[in-house]
Amino acid sequence: MNVLTDNISVFAEGFLGTVELTVYSSLLALALGFVMASFRVAPVRSLRVFGTAWVTVLRNTPLTLLFFAVLLGLPRFGLLLPFMVFAVLALGCYTSAFVCEVLRSGINTVPTGQGEAARSLGMSFGQTLSHVVLPQAFRTVIPPIGSILIALAKNSAIAGAFSVTELLGTYRTLSELGYNIVWTFLWIAVGYLVVTGAISAVFNVLERRWGFAR
């Protein structure tokens, strides 16, 4: 227990870093995932090609490699940002590919007659998607999106290897101070459990309120 009590500030800093990274990356992933899902079902071929390429490349690229590309590659082109911002970009873009596919599968569950009826009323593609299709699709994709964001929270541990303050990275500091590595990792695991448990609780509430009864 002294591993935690003697180093509560170290754990708190790492925990808050993980929470911050998870929240910002999740918002970016959801926004980009929505845009790319819209592209993938758009009537414009160039948009569909771009959306497909985005998903194909990111889903088949190891996340660690993407971190290297963003954190070490972008500064070579003159883009100098805090490491936290680079980590959010890497995590958010990577996760957006999975969010996109979940949203697209949800869109495909909506009967085509819904879209046809909206278009017959004079609605544009954007209006049909935002007012008719997505509200219905959202109800079916709540659980899988929750799972994706839980995976994002755990994937944030990679950021610690790139000088980003997060929970897993606290083990290096505590190891140098001579603390038992087993107990250190135990408290780190508890911290991740709190983060993922909070995400799970939020999506359980959303599912009970708006979820689709199967």
Side-chain angles (χ1 to χ4, degrees):
M1 192 68 182
N2 65 314
V3 176
L4 177 65
T5 55
D6 293 348
N7 302 279
I8 190 67
S9 61
V10 176
F11 279 107
E13 184 180 10
F15 180 79
L16 292 176
T18 293
V19 171
E20 183 180 7
L21 185 56
T22 300
V23 170
Y24 290 144
S25 299
S26 296
L27 293 175
L28 179 61
L30 291 172
L32 284 176
F34 167 76
V35 172
M36 293 304 154
S38 301
F39 282 3
R40 294 212 65 185
V41 298
V44 182
R45 184 175 183 275
S46 59
L47 294 180
R48 293 198 304 271
V49 170
F50 182 84
T52 301
W54 178 275
V55 170
T56 302
V57 171
L58 290 177
R59 287 184 71 188
N60 294 284
T61 300
L63 181 55
T64 305
L65 179 60
L66 188 59
F67 264 90
F68 274 111
V70 172
L71 275 83
L72 302 181
L74 292 182
R76 292 180 177 270
F77 295 95
L79 186 58
L80 301 176
L81 296 170
F83 278 0
M84 173 63 80
V85 176
F86 282 133
V88 168
L89 288 174
L91 264 177
C93 290
Y94 177 79
T95 308
S96 70
F98 297 90
V99 173
C100 169
E101 287 302 273
V102 167
L103 287 175
R104 188 171 71 92
S105 66
I107 290 171
N108 289 335
T109 64
V110 179
T112 56
Q114 298 282 331
E116 293 172 354
R119 286 191 294 272
S120 69
L121 294 174
M123 286 186 174
S124 65
F125 170 75
Q127 291 173 326
T128 301
L129 190 65
S130 60
H131 297 304
V132 178
V133 177
L134 280 178
Q136 298 181 68
F138 172 73
R139 299 174 61 196
T140 67
V141 301
I142 293 174
I145 286 183
S147 298
I148 289 172
L149 297 187
I150 287 174
L152 182 153
K154 293 184 287 186
N155 287 338
S156 68
I158 297 176
F162 297 90
S163 301
V164 177
T165 301
E166 52 78 45
L167 191 56
L168 183 61
T170 59
Y171 88 89
R172 287 190 296 270
T173 301
L174 299 181
S175 178
E176 292 171 359
L177 294 175
Y179 286 96
N180 188 308
I181 194 68
V182 175
W183 287 105
T184 299
F185 277 119
L186 175 64
W187 288 114
I188 289 174
V190 170
Y192 278 108
L193 184 62
V194 171
V195 174
T196 56
I199 296 173
S200 179
V202 168
F203 276 85
N204 283 339
V205 171
L206 292 176
E207 185 177 7
R208 285 197 299 270
R209 183 167 183 178
W210 289 303
F212 181 77
R214 297 181 181 277

mmCIF file of all heavy atoms in Angstrom, residues 4-53:
data_model
loop_
_atom_site.group_PDB
_atom_site.id
_atom_site.type_symbol
_atom_site.label_atom_id
_atom_site.label_comp_id
_atom_site.label_asym_id
_atom_site.label_seq_id
_atom_site.Cartn_x
_atom_site.Cartn_y
_atom_site.Cartn_z
ATOM 1 N N LEU A 4 1.512 3.214 -3.202
ATOM 2 C CA LEU A 4 0.510 4.205 -3.600
ATOM 3 C C LEU A 4 0.550 5.432 -2.708
ATOM 4 O O LEU A 4 0.596 6.568 -3.192
ATOM 5 C CB LEU A 4 -0.877 3.578 -3.564
ATOM 6 C CG LEU A 4 -2.055 4.514 -3.880
ATOM 7 C CD1 LEU A 4 -1.975 5.008 -5.318
ATOM 8 C CD2 LEU A 4 -3.386 3.817 -3.643
ATOM 9 N N THR A 5 0.537 5.214 -1.405
ATOM 10 C CA THR A 5 0.438 6.350 -0.479
ATOM 11 C C THR A 5 1.676 7.245 -0.524
ATOM 12 O O THR A 5 1.566 8.466 -0.377
ATOM 13 C CB THR A 5 0.219 5.847 0.958
ATOM 14 O OG1 THR A 5 1.269 4.931 1.312
ATOM 15 C CG2 THR A 5 -1.124 5.150 1.079
ATOM 16 N N ASP A 6 2.851 6.654 -0.708
ATOM 17 C CA ASP A 6 4.079 7.456 -0.749
ATOM 18 C C ASP A 6 4.255 8.195 -2.068
ATOM 19 O O ASP A 6 5.076 9.118 -2.147
ATOM 20 C CB ASP A 6 5.303 6.564 -0.515
ATOM 21 C CG ASP A 6 5.348 5.982 0.890
ATOM 22 O OD1 ASP A 6 4.558 6.456 1.735
ATOM 23 O OD2 ASP A 6 6.151 5.067 1.123
ATOM 24 N N ASN A 7 3.520 7.779 -3.086
ATOM 25 C CA ASN A 7 3.710 8.371 -4.416
ATOM 26 C C ASN A 7 2.379 8.764 -5.052
ATOM 27 O O ASN A 7 2.207 8.662 -6.258
ATOM 28 C CB ASN A 7 4.441 7.370 -5.338
ATOM 29 C CG ASN A 7 5.782 6.950 -4.799
ATOM 30 O OD1 ASN A 7 6.771 7.649 -4.940
ATOM 31 N ND2 ASN A 7 5.818 5.778 -4.174
ATOM 32 N N ILE A 8 1.469 9.211 -4.208
ATOM 33 C CA ILE A 8 0.133 9.536 -4.704
ATOM 34 C C ILE A 8 0.176 10.622 -5.768
ATOM 35 O O ILE A 8 -0.599 10.605 -6.727
ATOM 36 C CB ILE A 8 -0.792 9.955 -3.532
ATOM 37 C CG1 ILE A 8 -2.237 10.046 -4.002
ATOM 38 C CG2 ILE A 8 -0.309 11.239 -2.896
ATOM 39 C CD1 ILE A 8 -2.839 8.726 -4.378
ATOM 40 N N SER A 9 1.098 11.582 -5.637
ATOM 41 C CA SER A 9 1.180 12.659 -6.630
ATOM 42 C C SER A 9 1.652 12.131 -7.980
ATOM 43 O O SER A 9 1.192 12.598 -9.031
ATOM 44 C CB SER A 9 2.120 13.761 -6.134
ATOM 45 O OG SER A 9 3.429 13.260 -5.945
ATOM 46 N N VAL A 10 2.562 11.151 -7.958
ATOM 47 C CA VAL A 10 3.047 10.552 -9.208
ATOM 48 C C VAL A 10 1.924 9.797 -9.909
ATOM 49 O O VAL A 10 1.710 9.949 -11.115
ATOM 50 C CB VAL A 10 4.237 9.604 -8.932
ATOM 51 C CG1 VAL A 10 4.677 8.917 -10.233
ATOM 52 C CG2 VAL A 10 5.400 10.378 -8.330
ATOM 53 N N PHE A 11 1.196 8.988 -9.133
ATOM 54 C CA PHE A 11 0.076 8.251 -9.703
ATOM 55 C C PHE A 11 -1.023 9.200 -10.192
ATOM 56 O O PHE A 11 -1.628 8.980 -11.239
ATOM 57 C CB PHE A 11 -0.500 7.272 -8.677
ATOM 58 C CG PHE A 11 0.255 5.996 -8.543
ATOM 59 C CD1 PHE A 11 1.037 5.733 -7.423
ATOM 60 C CD2 PHE A 11 0.206 5.030 -9.545
ATOM 61 C CE1 PHE A 11 1.741 4.543 -7.308
ATOM 62 C CE2 PHE A 11 0.903 3.843 -9.443
ATOM 63 C CZ PHE A 11 1.682 3.598 -8.313
ATOM 64 N N ALA A 12 -1.290 10.244 -9.412
ATOM 65 C CA ALA A 12 -2.343 11.197 -9.798
ATOM 66 C C ALA A 12 -1.991 11.897 -11.110
ATOM 67 O O ALA A 12 -2.857 12.073 -11.981
ATOM 68 C CB ALA A 12 -2.543 12.223 -8.692
ATOM 69 N N GLU A 13 -0.733 12.277 -11.265
ATOM 70 C CA GLU A 13 -0.319 12.941 -12.500
ATOM 71 C C GLU A 13 -0.460 12.009 -13.702
ATOM 72 O O GLU A 13 -0.948 12.398 -14.758
ATOM 73 C CB GLU A 13 1.128 13.415 -12.370
ATOM 74 C CG GLU A 13 1.624 14.211 -13.578
ATOM 75 C CD GLU A 13 3.059 14.671 -13.424
ATOM 76 O OE1 GLU A 13 3.736 14.224 -12.465
ATOM 77 O OE2 GLU A 13 3.515 15.468 -14.271
ATOM 78 N N GLY A 14 -0.027 10.763 -13.513
ATOM 79 C CA GLY A 14 -0.155 9.793 -14.596
ATOM 80 C C GLY A 14 -1.604 9.478 -14.915
ATOM 81 O O GLY A 14 -1.984 9.370 -16.091
ATOM 82 N N PHE A 15 -2.419 9.340 -13.877
ATOM 83 C CA PHE A 15 -3.836 9.044 -14.067
ATOM 84 C C PHE A 15 -4.534 10.169 -14.812
ATOM 85 O O PHE A 15 -5.277 9.934 -15.770
ATOM 86 C CB PHE A 15 -4.509 8.822 -12.708
ATOM 87 C CG PHE A 15 -5.979 8.520 -12.786
ATOM 88 C CD1 PHE A 15 -6.415 7.252 -13.111
ATOM 89 C CD2 PHE A 15 -6.915 9.512 -12.544
ATOM 90 C CE1 PHE A 15 -7.777 6.963 -13.192
ATOM 91 C CE2 PHE A 15 -8.273 9.244 -12.617
ATOM 92 C CZ PHE A 15 -8.703 7.966 -12.945
ATOM 93 N N LEU A 16 -4.294 11.407 -14.402
ATOM 94 C CA LEU A 16 -4.914 12.552 -15.081
ATOM 95 C C LEU A 16 -4.419 12.675 -16.518
ATOM 96 O O LEU A 16 -5.177 13.062 -17.405
ATOM 97 C CB LEU A 16 -4.618 13.832 -14.303
ATOM 98 C CG LEU A 16 -5.290 13.948 -12.927
ATOM 99 C CD1 LEU A 16 -4.850 15.217 -12.217
ATOM 100 C CD2 LEU A 16 -6.813 13.919 -13.072
ATOM 101 N N GLY A 17 -3.148 12.328 -16.735
ATOM 102 C CA GLY A 17 -2.622 12.339 -18.100
ATOM 103 C C GLY A 17 -3.341 11.333 -18.984
ATOM 104 O O GLY A 17 -3.671 11.627 -20.139
ATOM 105 N N THR A 18 -3.603 10.145 -18.441
ATOM 106 C CA THR A 18 -4.328 9.122 -19.194
ATOM 107 C C THR A 18 -5.764 9.550 -19.469
ATOM 108 O O THR A 18 -6.282 9.357 -20.569
ATOM 109 C CB THR A 18 -4.315 7.789 -18.420
ATOM 110 O OG1 THR A 18 -2.980 7.285 -18.379
ATOM 111 C CG2 THR A 18 -5.208 6.755 -19.087
ATOM 112 N N VAL A 19 -6.412 10.139 -18.467
ATOM 113 C CA VAL A 19 -7.790 10.617 -18.644
ATOM 114 C C VAL A 19 -7.835 11.698 -19.719
ATOM 115 O O VAL A 19 -8.697 11.673 -20.614
ATOM 116 C CB VAL A 19 -8.355 11.153 -17.316
ATOM 117 C CG1 VAL A 19 -9.688 11.857 -17.546
ATOM 118 C CG2 VAL A 19 -8.524 10.022 -16.317
ATOM 119 N N GLU A 20 -6.920 12.652 -19.642
ATOM 120 C CA GLU A 20 -6.887 13.737 -20.623
ATOM 121 C C GLU A 20 -6.645 13.191 -22.028
ATOM 122 O O GLU A 20 -7.337 13.578 -22.987
ATOM 123 C CB GLU A 20 -5.791 14.730 -20.248
ATOM 124 C CG GLU A 20 -5.713 15.939 -21.160
ATOM 125 C CD GLU A 20 -4.617 16.908 -20.760
ATOM 126 O OE1 GLU A 20 -3.824 16.578 -19.845
ATOM 127 O OE2 GLU A 20 -4.535 17.987 -21.370
ATOM 128 N N LEU A 21 -5.688 12.293 -22.152
ATOM 129 C CA LEU A 21 -5.383 11.705 -23.453
ATOM 130 C C LEU A 21 -6.570 10.923 -23.993
ATOM 131 O O LEU A 21 -6.893 10.997 -25.190
ATOM 132 C CB LEU A 21 -4.158 10.795 -23.318
ATOM 133 C CG LEU A 21 -3.575 10.167 -24.577
ATOM 134 C CD1 LEU A 21 -3.215 11.235 -25.602
ATOM 135 C CD2 LEU A 21 -2.339 9.332 -24.224
ATOM 136 N N THR A 22 -7.254 10.189 -23.120
ATOM 137 C CA THR A 22 -8.406 9.389 -23.534
ATOM 138 C C THR A 22 -9.564 10.267 -23.993
ATOM 139 O O THR A 22 -10.187 10.007 -25.021
ATOM 140 C CB THR A 22 -8.867 8.480 -22.381
ATOM 141 O OG1 THR A 22 -7.804 7.596 -22.015
ATOM 142 C CG2 THR A 22 -10.076 7.667 -22.790
ATOM 143 N N VAL A 23 -9.850 11.319 -23.222
ATOM 144 C CA VAL A 23 -10.977 12.194 -23.548
ATOM 145 C C VAL A 23 -10.751 12.902 -24.881
ATOM 146 O O VAL A 23 -11.613 12.874 -25.774
ATOM 147 C CB VAL A 23 -11.212 13.224 -22.425
ATOM 148 C CG1 VAL A 23 -12.210 14.288 -22.875
ATOM 149 C CG2 VAL A 23 -11.705 12.537 -21.165
ATOM 150 N N TYR A 24 -9.601 13.542 -25.039
ATOM 151 C CA TYR A 24 -9.336 14.289 -26.266
ATOM 152 C C TYR A 24 -9.259 13.372 -27.485
ATOM 153 O O TYR A 24 -9.771 13.697 -28.559
ATOM 154 C CB TYR A 24 -8.043 15.099 -26.130
ATOM 155 C CG TYR A 24 -8.140 16.255 -25.165
ATOM 156 C CD1 TYR A 24 -7.059 16.612 -24.360
ATOM 157 C CD2 TYR A 24 -9.317 16.976 -25.028
ATOM 158 C CE1 TYR A 24 -7.149 17.666 -23.463
ATOM 159 C CE2 TYR A 24 -9.419 18.028 -24.130
ATOM 160 C CZ TYR A 24 -8.326 18.371 -23.356
ATOM 161 O OH TYR A 24 -8.421 19.415 -22.477
ATOM 162 N N SER A 25 -8.619 12.223 -27.317
ATOM 163 C CA SER A 25 -8.506 11.273 -28.437
ATOM 164 C C SER A 25 -9.873 10.710 -28.815
ATOM 165 O O SER A 25 -10.156 10.500 -29.996
ATOM 166 C CB SER A 25 -7.555 10.130 -28.072
ATOM 167 O OG SER A 25 -6.261 10.603 -27.788
ATOM 168 N N SER A 26 -10.719 10.472 -27.813
ATOM 169 C CA SER A 26 -12.060 9.956 -28.086
ATOM 170 C C SER A 26 -12.886 10.967 -28.879
ATOM 171 O O SER A 26 -13.586 10.602 -29.831
ATOM 172 C CB SER A 26 -12.777 9.612 -26.776
ATOM 173 O OG SER A 26 -12.115 8.578 -26.095
ATOM 174 N N LEU A 27 -12.808 12.230 -28.481
ATOM 175 C CA LEU A 27 -13.555 13.264 -29.197
ATOM 176 C C LEU A 27 -13.089 13.365 -30.644
ATOM 177 O O LEU A 27 -13.906 13.476 -31.570
ATOM 178 C CB LEU A 27 -13.389 14.613 -28.493
ATOM 179 C CG LEU A 27 -14.031 14.727 -27.103
ATOM 180 C CD1 LEU A 27 -13.687 16.062 -26.470
ATOM 181 C CD2 LEU A 27 -15.546 14.554 -27.191
ATOM 182 N N LEU A 28 -11.770 13.316 -30.846
ATOM 183 C CA LEU A 28 -11.240 13.369 -32.208
ATOM 184 C C LEU A 28 -11.655 12.139 -33.003
ATOM 185 O O LEU A 28 -12.048 12.247 -34.174
ATOM 186 C CB LEU A 28 -9.713 13.481 -32.170
ATOM 187 C CG LEU A 28 -9.005 13.526 -33.527
ATOM 188 C CD1 LEU A 28 -9.458 14.737 -34.348
ATOM 189 C CD2 LEU A 28 -7.490 13.540 -33.342
ATOM 190 N N ALA A 29 -11.590 10.967 -32.372
ATOM 191 C CA ALA A 29 -11.953 9.722 -33.061
ATOM 192 C C ALA A 29 -13.421 9.718 -33.458
ATOM 193 O O ALA A 29 -13.770 9.291 -34.566
ATOM 194 C CB ALA A 29 -11.644 8.523 -32.172
ATOM 195 N N LEU A 30 -14.285 10.184 -32.573
ATOM 196 C CA LEU A 30 -15.719 10.211 -32.883
ATOM 197 C C LEU A 30 -16.016 11.198 -34.007
ATOM 198 O O LEU A 30 -16.814 10.900 -34.909
ATOM 199 C CB LEU A 30 -16.515 10.581 -31.630
ATOM 200 C CG LEU A 30 -16.533 9.534 -30.509
ATOM 201 C CD1 LEU A 30 -17.190 10.100 -29.256
ATOM 202 C CD2 LEU A 30 -17.247 8.271 -30.961
ATOM 203 N N ALA A 31 -15.366 12.360 -33.975
ATOM 204 C CA ALA A 31 -15.602 13.363 -35.018
ATOM 205 C C ALA A 31 -15.100 12.867 -36.371
ATOM 206 O O ALA A 31 -15.830 12.922 -37.377
ATOM 207 C CB ALA A 31 -14.913 14.672 -34.645
ATOM 208 N N LEU A 32 -13.866 12.365 -36.408
ATOM 209 C CA LEU A 32 -13.319 11.869 -37.668
ATOM 210 C C LEU A 32 -14.061 10.621 -38.145
ATOM 211 O O LEU A 32 -14.275 10.445 -39.348
ATOM 212 C CB LEU A 32 -11.831 11.550 -37.504
ATOM 213 C CG LEU A 32 -10.873 12.743 -37.462
ATOM 214 C CD1 LEU A 32 -9.445 12.268 -37.199
ATOM 215 C CD2 LEU A 32 -10.926 13.517 -38.779
ATOM 216 N N GLY A 33 -14.440 9.759 -37.198
ATOM 217 C CA GLY A 33 -15.179 8.555 -37.573
ATOM 218 C C GLY A 33 -16.510 8.890 -38.214
ATOM 219 O O GLY A 33 -16.914 8.261 -39.195
ATOM 220 N N PHE A 34 -17.192 9.909 -37.678
ATOM 221 C CA PHE A 34 -18.450 10.355 -38.260
ATOM 222 C C PHE A 34 -18.235 10.889 -39.677
ATOM 223 O O PHE A 34 -18.981 10.559 -40.602
ATOM 224 C CB PHE A 34 -19.071 11.440 -37.378
ATOM 225 C CG PHE A 34 -20.203 12.182 -38.025
ATOM 226 C CD1 PHE A 34 -21.456 11.606 -38.139
ATOM 227 C CD2 PHE A 34 -20.009 13.455 -38.550
ATOM 228 C CE1 PHE A 34 -22.506 12.294 -38.755
ATOM 229 C CE2 PHE A 34 -21.037 14.141 -39.156
ATOM 230 C CZ PHE A 34 -22.297 13.559 -39.265
ATOM 231 N N VAL A 35 -17.198 11.709 -39.850
ATOM 232 C CA VAL A 35 -16.919 12.283 -41.177
ATOM 233 C C VAL A 35 -16.587 11.178 -42.178
ATOM 234 O O VAL A 35 -17.107 11.161 -43.304
ATOM 235 C CB VAL A 35 -15.760 13.292 -41.090
ATOM 236 C CG1 VAL A 35 -15.328 13.742 -42.489
ATOM 237 C CG2 VAL A 35 -16.177 14.507 -40.272
ATOM 238 N N MET A 36 -15.732 10.243 -41.777
ATOM 239 C CA MET A 36 -15.328 9.181 -42.702
ATOM 240 C C MET A 36 -16.469 8.220 -43.004
ATOM 241 O O MET A 36 -16.585 7.719 -44.130
ATOM 242 C CB MET A 36 -14.130 8.412 -42.127
ATOM 243 C CG MET A 36 -12.872 9.241 -42.057
ATOM 244 S SD MET A 36 -12.429 9.927 -43.683
ATOM 245 C CE MET A 36 -11.504 11.377 -43.183
ATOM 246 N N ALA A 37 -17.331 7.969 -42.042
ATOM 247 C CA ALA A 37 -18.504 7.128 -42.307
ATOM 248 C C ALA A 37 -19.425 7.820 -43.306
ATOM 249 O O ALA A 37 -20.000 7.173 -44.191
ATOM 250 C CB ALA A 37 -19.246 6.832 -41.011
ATOM 251 N N SER A 38 -19.564 9.141 -43.164
ATOM 252 C CA SER A 38 -20.360 9.909 -44.127
ATOM 253 C C SER A 38 -19.750 9.829 -45.517
ATOM 254 O O SER A 38 -20.464 9.689 -46.514
ATOM 255 C CB SER A 38 -20.458 11.374 -43.674
ATOM 256 O OG SER A 38 -21.046 11.472 -42.399
ATOM 257 N N PHE A 39 -18.419 9.911 -45.577
ATOM 258 C CA PHE A 39 -17.741 9.803 -46.869
ATOM 259 C C PHE A 39 -17.978 8.430 -47.496
ATOM 260 O O PHE A 39 -18.215 8.320 -48.702
ATOM 261 C CB PHE A 39 -16.231 10.018 -46.696
ATOM 262 C CG PHE A 39 -15.822 11.456 -46.548
ATOM 263 C CD1 PHE A 39 -16.766 12.473 -46.500
ATOM 264 C CD2 PHE A 39 -14.485 11.806 -46.452
ATOM 265 C CE1 PHE A 39 -16.392 13.799 -46.358
ATOM 266 C CE2 PHE A 39 -14.094 13.131 -46.324
ATOM 267 C CZ PHE A 39 -15.054 14.129 -46.279
ATOM 268 N N ARG A 40 -17.940 7.389 -46.676
ATOM 269 C CA ARG A 40 -18.030 6.024 -47.201
ATOM 270 C C ARG A 40 -19.404 5.688 -47.769
ATOM 271 O O ARG A 40 -19.527 4.760 -48.584
ATOM 272 C CB ARG A 40 -17.654 5.008 -46.126
ATOM 273 C CG ARG A 40 -16.187 5.088 -45.704
ATOM 274 C CD ARG A 40 -15.642 3.756 -45.299
ATOM 275 N NE ARG A 40 -15.616 2.833 -46.427
ATOM 276 C CZ ARG A 40 -15.279 1.552 -46.340
ATOM 277 N NH1 ARG A 40 -14.969 1.041 -45.170
ATOM 278 N NH2 ARG A 40 -15.278 0.776 -47.382
ATOM 279 N N VAL A 41 -20.427 6.413 -47.343
ATOM 280 C CA VAL A 41 -21.769 6.159 -47.883
ATOM 281 C C VAL A 41 -22.246 7.301 -48.774
ATOM 282 O O VAL A 41 -23.405 7.320 -49.180
ATOM 283 C CB VAL A 41 -22.785 5.928 -46.737
ATOM 284 C CG1 VAL A 41 -22.412 4.704 -45.920
ATOM 285 C CG2 VAL A 41 -22.891 7.162 -45.844
ATOM 286 N N ALA A 42 -21.343 8.239 -49.054
ATOM 287 C CA ALA A 42 -21.714 9.404 -49.868
ATOM 288 C C ALA A 42 -21.939 9.012 -51.322
ATOM 289 O O ALA A 42 -21.343 8.044 -51.819
ATOM 290 C CB ALA A 42 -20.625 10.474 -49.779
ATOM 291 N N PRO A 43 -22.765 9.755 -52.048
ATOM 292 C CA PRO A 43 -22.987 9.462 -53.464
ATOM 293 C C PRO A 43 -21.836 9.911 -54.362
ATOM 294 O O PRO A 43 -21.803 9.576 -55.540
ATOM 295 C CB PRO A 43 -24.266 10.263 -53.784
ATOM 296 C CG PRO A 43 -24.268 11.378 -52.804
ATOM 297 C CD PRO A 43 -23.647 10.828 -51.554
ATOM 298 N N VAL A 44 -20.888 10.663 -53.805
ATOM 299 C CA VAL A 44 -19.736 11.150 -54.579
ATOM 300 C C VAL A 44 -18.612 10.122 -54.507
ATOM 301 O O VAL A 44 -18.140 9.781 -53.409
ATOM 302 C CB VAL A 44 -19.249 12.505 -54.037
ATOM 303 C CG1 VAL A 44 -18.081 13.024 -54.870
ATOM 304 C CG2 VAL A 44 -20.394 13.513 -54.024
ATOM 305 N N ARG A 45 -18.167 9.636 -55.656
ATOM 306 C CA ARG A 45 -17.190 8.544 -55.686
ATOM 307 C C ARG A 45 -15.861 8.931 -55.043
ATOM 308 O O ARG A 45 -15.255 8.133 -54.328
ATOM 309 C CB ARG A 45 -16.950 8.100 -57.130
ATOM 310 C CG ARG A 45 -16.023 6.893 -57.243
ATOM 311 C CD ARG A 45 -15.905 6.391 -58.674
ATOM 312 N NE ARG A 45 -15.076 5.202 -58.754
ATOM 313 C CZ ARG A 45 -13.753 5.228 -58.843
ATOM 314 N NH1 ARG A 45 -13.118 6.398 -58.883
ATOM 315 N NH2 ARG A 45 -13.058 4.114 -58.909
ATOM 316 N N SER A 46 -15.398 10.154 -55.269
ATOM 317 C CA SER A 46 -14.112 10.573 -54.713
ATOM 318 C C SER A 46 -14.125 10.543 -53.194
ATOM 319 O O SER A 46 -13.130 10.184 -52.550
ATOM 320 C CB SER A 46 -13.746 11.976 -55.216
ATOM 321 O OG SER A 46 -14.748 12.908 -54.850
ATOM 322 N N LEU A 47 -15.263 10.902 -52.597
ATOM 323 C CA LEU A 47 -15.380 10.849 -51.142
ATOM 324 C C LEU A 47 -15.368 9.414 -50.645
ATOM 325 O O LEU A 47 -14.753 9.101 -49.615
ATOM 326 C CB LEU A 47 -16.659 11.554 -50.687
ATOM 327 C CG LEU A 47 -16.739 13.066 -50.921
ATOM 328 C CD1 LEU A 47 -18.070 13.614 -50.419
ATOM 329 C CD2 LEU A 47 -15.580 13.783 -50.240
ATOM 330 N N ARG A 48 -16.042 8.529 -51.366
ATOM 331 C CA ARG A 48 -16.046 7.116 -50.970
ATOM 332 C C ARG A 48 -14.639 6.532 -51.048
ATOM 333 O O ARG A 48 -14.224 5.772 -50.169
ATOM 334 C CB ARG A 48 -17.002 6.313 -51.854
ATOM 335 C CG ARG A 48 -18.468 6.667 -51.676
ATOM 336 C CD ARG A 48 -19.372 5.559 -52.219
ATOM 337 N NE ARG A 48 -19.087 5.257 -53.611
ATOM 338 C CZ ARG A 48 -19.644 5.863 -54.645
ATOM 339 N NH1 ARG A 48 -20.522 6.837 -54.440
ATOM 340 N NH2 ARG A 48 -19.345 5.516 -55.884
ATOM 341 N N VAL A 49 -13.903 6.893 -52.088
ATOM 342 C CA VAL A 49 -12.532 6.397 -52.242
ATOM 343 C C VAL A 49 -11.654 6.905 -51.097
ATOM 344 O O VAL A 49 -10.864 6.147 -50.525
ATOM 345 C CB VAL A 49 -11.956 6.833 -53.604
ATOM 346 C CG1 VAL A 49 -10.460 6.539 -53.674
ATOM 347 C CG2 VAL A 49 -12.678 6.123 -54.740
ATOM 348 N N PHE A 50 -11.794 8.186 -50.773
ATOM 349 C CA PHE A 50 -10.988 8.756 -49.685
ATOM 350 C C PHE A 50 -11.316 8.072 -48.363
ATOM 351 O O PHE A 50 -10.407 7.717 -47.594
ATOM 352 C CB PHE A 50 -11.249 10.262 -49.576
ATOM 353 C CG PHE A 50 -10.421 10.942 -48.522
ATOM 354 C CD1 PHE A 50 -9.132 11.360 -48.785
ATOM 355 C CD2 PHE A 50 -10.940 11.142 -47.241
ATOM 356 C CE1 PHE A 50 -8.359 11.977 -47.809
ATOM 357 C CE2 PHE A 50 -10.182 11.762 -46.256
ATOM 358 C CZ PHE A 50 -8.886 12.180 -46.543
ATOM 359 N N GLY A 51 -12.606 7.894 -48.072
ATOM 360 C CA GLY A 51 -12.999 7.239 -46.833
ATOM 361 C C GLY A 51 -12.500 5.808 -46.750
ATOM 362 O O GLY A 51 -12.024 5.362 -45.695
ATOM 363 N N THR A 52 -12.584 5.096 -47.857
ATOM 364 C CA THR A 52 -12.100 3.711 -47.891
ATOM 365 C C THR A 52 -10.601 3.657 -47.677
ATOM 366 O O THR A 52 -10.091 2.802 -46.934
ATOM 367 C CB THR A 52 -12.470 3.055 -49.236
ATOM 368 O OG1 THR A 52 -13.887 3.074 -49.403
ATOM 369 C CG2 THR A 52 -11.969 1.622 -49.290
ATOM 370 N N ALA A 53 -9.857 4.563 -48.323
ATOM 371 C CA ALA A 53 -8.404 4.599 -48.169
ATOM 372 C C ALA A 53 -8.019 4.914 -46.727
ATOM 373 O O ALA A 53 -7.088 4.309 -46.166
ATOM 374 C CB ALA A 53 -7.798 5.636 -49.115
#
